[in-house]
């Protein structure tokens, strides 16, 4: 049995940075709050909760002097003001790539541009970016949404970091046909593309793929979709979801994991499969 692990699998730079920094903070202070779950991975969230992290939905749930983590997705600018008013300590773990988009949105909004975010209006990162331009951005998820664009306005276009590149390009091409009064910032993060490309490369070389990641993690679901095009694919959250008997007749297994899957979960899967075949 051969096991191949995709070149890019598991935590991206921004998530790894946030998780490490949150862990360091928890070592010093076991009474910390996170505004929303740190990542879309139940097992990792549980581990942090056991170390003392408490998840809150809004700042009204904490009191003066409390410490609140802002996760890698980022938040609207008014959250910082509210936190200041309430005398909270903020640990800002917004991914630097997301921060960059927030700054572009603010800078161009202040110059009088209309901000267009190509992405999912319900995603926390998009909600956060919109908060840096007074919640006045136009959010475009699909081509049909382009009816919100008019000719005589100056636009600044940014993208959700995990936006599908093909859809982004299609939307930008159509946008250029409607207006030539737009500045484009392709802010899609390379981590998503790298994970998808290396999942495809691995899936092409093996008989079966195992994709590890939260059932609700959209980037993990996307990896499952792309792998399915090339071979039988299983989506699991942990080793407990895998019936190894089912894969025992395959000659090669490929493994990949979503950007919010910790290494210890990936290693547990790999070691269990190795142990099973070395018996
Ligand atoms: Fe940051 Fe890219 Fe990850 S934007 S959180 S490094 S997917």
């Amino acid at each position: 049995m051969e096991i191949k692990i995709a070149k890019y699998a598991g935590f991206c730079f921004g998530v790894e940075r946030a998780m490490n920094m949150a862990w360091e903070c928890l070592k010093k202070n076991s009474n910390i709050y996170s505004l929303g779950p740190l990542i879309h991975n139940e097992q990792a969230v549980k581990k942090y909760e056991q170390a003392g992290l408490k998840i809150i939905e809004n700042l009204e749930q904490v009191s003066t002097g409390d410490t609140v983590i802002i996760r890698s997705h980022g938040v609207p600018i008014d959250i910082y003001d509210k936190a200041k008013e309430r005398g909270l300590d903020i640990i800002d773990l917004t991914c630097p790539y997301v921060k960059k988009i927030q700054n572009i949105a603010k800078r161009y909004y202040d110059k009088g541009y209309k901000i267009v975010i190509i992405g999912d209006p319900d995603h926390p990162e998009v909600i956060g970016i919109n908060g840096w331009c007074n919640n006045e951005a136009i959010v475009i998820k699909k081509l049909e949404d382009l009816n919100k664009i008019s000719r005589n306005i100056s636009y600044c276009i940014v993208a959700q970091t995990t936006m599908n590149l093909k859809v982004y390009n299609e939307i930008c091409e159509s946008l250029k046909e409607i207006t030539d009064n737009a500045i484009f910032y392709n802010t899609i993060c390379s981590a998503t593309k790298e994970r998808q490309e290396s999942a495809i490369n691995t899936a092409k070389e093996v008989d079966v793929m195992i994709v590890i990641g939260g059932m609700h993690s959209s980037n993990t679901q996307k990896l499952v979709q792309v792998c399915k095009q090339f071979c039988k694919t299983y989506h699991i959250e942990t080793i407990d979801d895998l019936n190894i008997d089912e894969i025992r007749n395959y000659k090669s297994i490929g493994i990949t994991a979503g950007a919010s899957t910790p290494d210890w979960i990936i290693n547990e899967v790999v070691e269990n499969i190795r142990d099973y075949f070395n018996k």
Side-chain angles (χ1 to χ4, degrees):
M1 163 61 66
E2 190 194 3
I3 300 177
K4 281 192 176 173
I5 302 170
K7 186 176 172 200
Y8 296 102
F11 278 179
C12 60
F13 155 77
V15 169
E16 182 162 30
R17 172 182 173 273
M19 294 303 276
N20 288 344
M21 286 167 79
W23 195 251
E24 286 308 311
C25 294
L26 279 167
K27 281 203 235 160
K28 291 180 213 138
N29 175 2
S30 60
N31 193 29
I32 298 183
Y33 298 85
S34 156
L35 191 52
L38 263 188
I39 51 172
H40 289 139
N41 186 282
E42 215 183 297
Q43 294 71 28
V45 168
K46 249 186 216 150
K47 188 177 161 191
Y48 279 64
E49 280 180 327
Q50 280 158 3
L53 188 69
K54 289 172 233 19
I55 299 169
I56 52 166
E57 279 165 22
N58 57 65
L59 296 182
E60 276 69 51
Q61 293 172 262
V62 288
S63 327
T64 307
D66 282 339
T67 303
V68 178
I69 284 177
I70 290 173
R71 58 192 178 165
S72 55
H73 292 133
V75 291
I77 196 168
D78 66 338
I79 293 287
Y80 296 90
D81 301 333
K82 278 186 197 150
K84 207 171 172 193
E85 268 167 36
R86 294 180 65 85
L88 305 173
D89 261 347
I90 286 289
I91 301 171
D92 189 358
L93 304 186
T94 307
C95 175
Y97 300 137
V98 176
K99 193 63 88 203
K100 192 176 140 196
I101 309 175
Q102 294 172 343
N103 289 336
I104 293 171
K106 175 152 183 14
R107 194 165 76 240
Y108 279 89
Y109 174 80
D110 289 346
K111 283 187 195 172
Y113 283 74
K114 185 86 179 159
I115 308 299
V116 174
I117 308 169
I118 302 180
D120 176 356
D122 299 322
H123 194 283
E125 179 191 314
V126 173
I127 295 169
I129 296 166
N130 200 0
W132 286 73
C133 49
N134 210 26
N135 297 309
E136 290 174 20
I138 297 175
V139 183
I140 306 274
K141 188 178 180 182
K142 46 189 187 323
L143 286 172
E144 294 76 66
D145 299 331
L146 285 169
N147 57 15
K148 299 174 192 166
I149 302 292
S150 356
R151 278 184 189 282
N152 45 1
I153 295 177
S154 303
Y155 292 103
C156 169
I157 324 288
V158 295
Q160 183 182 329
T161 55
T162 48
M163 186 69 198
N164 176 302
L165 182 64
K166 192 169 162 265
V167 179
Y168 168 84
N169 282 335
E170 279 168 11
I171 292 174
C172 289
E173 283 317 307
S174 304
L175 236 162
K176 282 176 194 163
E177 283 169 21
I178 305 171
T179 175
D180 52 11
N181 203 359
I183 295 172
F184 291 84
Y185 283 93
N186 178 352
T187 49
I188 297 175
C189 173
S190 60
T192 310
K193 194 168 156 249
E194 283 165 357
R195 268 150 197 73
Q196 283 177 18
E197 281 176 359
S198 62
I200 291 170
N201 292 340
T202 311
K204 281 180 181 167
E205 292 171 358
V206 296
D207 302 323
V208 61
M209 275 302 282
I210 296 168
V211 181
I212 315 163
M215 290 297 156
H216 302 294
S217 150
S218 62
N219 76 83
T220 307
Q221 286 165 358
K222 187 78 195 155
L223 290 177
V224 175
Q225 268 172 33
V226 296
C227 291
K228 270 187 180 163
Q229 294 167 13
F230 301 97
C231 62
K232 172 89 183 156
T233 301
Y234 292 91
H235 178 184
I236 61 169
E237 280 197 356
T238 68
I239 186 63
D240 297 337
D241 301 329
L242 183 67
N243 179 356
I244 302 188
D245 277 343
E246 274 187 40
I247 56 165
R248 71 170 189 272
N249 292 327
Y250 292 106
K251 288 201 174 60
S252 54
I253 299 177
I255 292 181
T256 188
S260 47
T261 308
D263 278 355
W264 54 272
I265 293 183
I266 305 173
N267 293 339
E268 202 176 34
V269 173
V270 175
E271 278 160 25
N272 271 273
I273 296 174
R274 281 208 177 110
D275 289 350
Y276 179 89
F277 287 100
N278 290 338
K279 265 195 276 190

